[in-house]
Amino acid sequence: MDSRQQAYLQAMGIDIWVQRDADIQVNAIPLVTAANPQADPVPSINPSSSDDLSQLDWSALQARVSACTLCELHQGRTQTVFGVGNPRAELLIIGEAPGAEEDRQGEPFVGRAGQLLNAMLKAIRLQRQEVYIANILKCRPPNNRDPKPEEAALCSQYLVRQIELIQPKLILALGRIAAQRLLQTDMNLGKMRGQLHRYTLTDTPLIVTYHPADLLRTPSDKRKAWQDLIFAQRILGDPAKAV
Ligand code: URA
């Protein structure tokens, strides 16, 4: 742990003594490949049975998303929020949906939660532009309500194509809603954390952590988020552990 990393941890609000504790605990986290759990609790769309996006390259996909009117959310948006970062990133971070500021700027995680996400990334020596950041939904739900299952189902075909094109080594799901959607489960966040899952549609390793907005509300969970980041770093550093 160098001094730069310690400074980022402090910026995240994590006391320095926590990381030693976290290092020990993280090494004790079993690398479990979770079987895809229970039956799908929400409707899902088989991407191949709807519009076929499998031939679209990155820019054609972006254009398709910008013009999307598949669900009612297109009526209230300023613009779609496709994602940001390196389209060849090893780490793909997936949040829930754009908020007001993201809708205005057309970029995910630009508000306070985004600032905390940037600090979290720096703590594992990653810059925002090195990873790719996207959401389950490309359009802002009104009053920041949770995504409806049918909205997530319709929008997921775009995310699937993004994952196919990026081919990340690891997906980091932020928060219960993104994680439940990606893993097609109704498990709670506590059960999903600390395990190596797979996003089955693209067979991509996936882990789960807190949503930065939840960490802003409950800073005491930052210690556990730090454990999750070390877990991510460990998998990225040694992808064989993700098999
Ligand atoms: N929360 C999210 O889940 N995504 C964003 O882009 C911003 C806030």
Side-chain angles (χ1 to χ4, degrees):
M1 181 74 49
D2 60 30
S3 57
R4 202 165 134 259
Q5 205 170 7
Q6 288 184 7
Y8 289 128
L9 284 168
Q10 270 171 331
M12 279 174 66
I14 295 176
D15 295 337
I16 298 307
W17 65 267
V18 174
Q19 3 150 344
R20 265 183 272 136
D21 187 30
D23 283 346
I24 293 161
Q25 290 181 25
V26 162
N27 288 334
I29 292 176
L31 287 171
V32 177
T33 302
N36 197 21
Q38 305 94 14
D40 185 1
V42 291
S44 68
I45 285 205
N46 175 354
S48 59
S49 70
S50 72
D51 196 9
D52 184 16
L53 304 179
S54 64
Q55 303 306 312
L56 298 189
D57 66 13
W58 193 256
S59 55
L61 181 64
Q62 268 178 312
R64 186 69 70 91
V65 168
S66 311
C68 181
T69 56
L70 286 178
C71 78
E72 63 181 18
L73 294 182
H74 77 277
Q75 290 161 354
R77 74 182 177 219
T78 307
Q79 57 195 313
T80 55
V81 179
F82 187 74
V84 70
N86 176 5
R88 307 216 178 287
E90 292 192 345
L91 179 62
L92 170 61
I93 298 174
I94 303 180
E96 189 179 317
E101 200 51 43
E102 288 77 20
D103 172 74
R104 250 191 302 279
Q105 296 190 34
E107 182 172 326
F109 286 97
V110 290
R112 279 186 70 222
Q115 283 167 16
L116 179 55
L117 178 60
N118 294 346
M120 290 164 69
L121 289 172
K122 283 181 180 168
I124 52 167
R125 298 191 184 86
L126 284 173
Q127 299 290 327
R128 183 177 169 92
Q129 55 275 17
E130 284 177 78
V131 303
Y132 198 83
I133 306 172
N135 282 308
I136 297 286
L137 294 189
K138 309 291 187 228
C139 295
R140 181 192 181 205
N143 305 315
N144 298 334
R145 66 155 168 75
D146 290 351
K148 291 182 183 168
E150 57 272 26
E151 293 161 353
L154 287 165
C155 216
S156 70
Q157 58 187 319
Y158 299 129
L159 187 60
V160 171
R161 186 64 189 144
Q162 282 180 302
I163 299 170
E164 286 171 353
L165 289 167
I166 296 171
Q167 297 185 284
K169 275 188 192 162
L170 179 66
I171 294 172
L172 178 64
L174 299 180
R176 178 184 61 83
I177 292 190
Q180 286 183 339
R181 177 68 218 169
L182 292 167
L183 295 174
Q184 301 282 286
T185 180
D186 55 6
M187 272 195 284
N188 65 34
L189 190 85
K191 286 232 170 73
M192 289 185 280
R193 284 186 56 248
Q195 289 193 26
L196 183 57
H197 304 269
R198 279 192 180 265
Y199 180 61
T200 48
L201 285 179
T202 55
D203 198 28
T204 309
L206 181 152
I207 66 172
V208 176
T209 192
Y210 294 89
H211 193 289
D214 292 331
L215 294 176
L216 289 172
R217 280 187 288 270
T218 314
S220 54
D221 283 337
K222 286 181 181 176
R223 295 173 179 204
K224 288 188 266 175
W226 171 238
Q227 293 174 357
D228 299 334
L229 293 175
I230 298 291
F231 188 25
Q233 195 179 38
R234 194 171 144 213
I235 294 165
L236 288 169
D238 184 358
K241 287 184 180 148
V243 176

